[in-house]
Amino acid sequence: MNAGLGLVFGRLDLGLSWSQKGAVYTYETSTLTMDVRNVEVAALYRFGLPTQGPVGFHLLVGPTIGFQAQCTASATGFSDVSDDCANVGAEIRSDWGATGGAGVDIPAGRFKLALDVLYYRGLRDISASTVNPTDSFNRSWTVRLGLGLPLK
């Protein structure tokens, strides 16, 4: 769900979304698999590119923060366990990062179709290991299709 706010040069898109991310960590003979589901809030600056004709192109960039809604983890190797992330020492309450991408707007009668491709790069280290710490950051691609409705 997104809403836009017109600015002098471009527009600010405020969005709320549900995401599902996963990770697999391997250390020697043990493997930790995580399934994380977040509610994410994004504030993306949308800058329209000059075009000829009805089809428009735009760039998007801005911060995104995600709040953990659910997380499950399973470990195999040293000990086999499947549980909530907090119970296996791999809890990640929030994640924040930068999102950037590009899109196209296509007129469809009174409506407007929008197709965006976005890349998210987490800026918070999400490594759960204190024994063998590594720098781990969320990364994800999103393809979203939207229908713009006029408010007039």
Side-chain angles (χ1 to χ4, degrees), residues 75-134:
T76 59
F78 179 72
S79 65
D80 293 345
V81 116
S82 183
D83 205 344
D84 186 80
C85 291
N87 296 333
V88 295
E91 187 174 25
I92 303 161
R93 291 271 183 207
S94 64
D95 185 32
W96 57 87
T99 300
V104 61
D105 298 316
I106 304 166
R110 289 189 53 217
F111 305 105
K112 179 173 56 172
L113 293 174
L115 175 67
D116 297 328
V117 177
L118 302 170
Y119 178 73
Y120 171 82
R121 169 61 159 86
L123 300 175
R124 178 176 184 233
D125 185 359
I126 60 167
S127 176
S129 174
T130 56
V131 176
N132 184 28
T134 59

Side-chain angles (χ1 to χ4, degrees), residues 3 11 27-29 32 40 47-48 50 53 56-57 59 65 67 70 85-86 95 97 99 101 124 133 151:
R11 186 174 97 190
Y27 178 69
E28 294 179 1
T29 60
L32 173 67
E40 294 183 342
F47 177 75
F57 297 94
L59 300 175
I65 185 167
F67 301 97
Q70 180 183 11
C85 291
D95 185 32
T99 300
R124 178 176 184 233
L151 295 178

Side-chain angles (χ1 to χ4, degrees), residues 33-37 68 70-74 82-85 88:
T33 303
M34 296 176 59
D35 178 20
V36 183
R37 295 166 191 207
Q68 179 181 301
Q70 180 183 11
C71 182
T72 55
S74 60
S82 183
D83 205 344
D84 186 80
C85 291
V88 295

Side-chain angles (χ1 to χ4, degrees), residues 37-63:
R37 295 166 191 207
N38 289 337
V39 174
E40 294 183 342
V41 179
L44 303 178
Y45 178 74
R46 178 184 177 125
F47 177 75
L49 299 173
T51 61
Q52 302 258 347
V55 176
F57 297 94
H58 56 268
L59 300 175
L60 298 139
V61 65

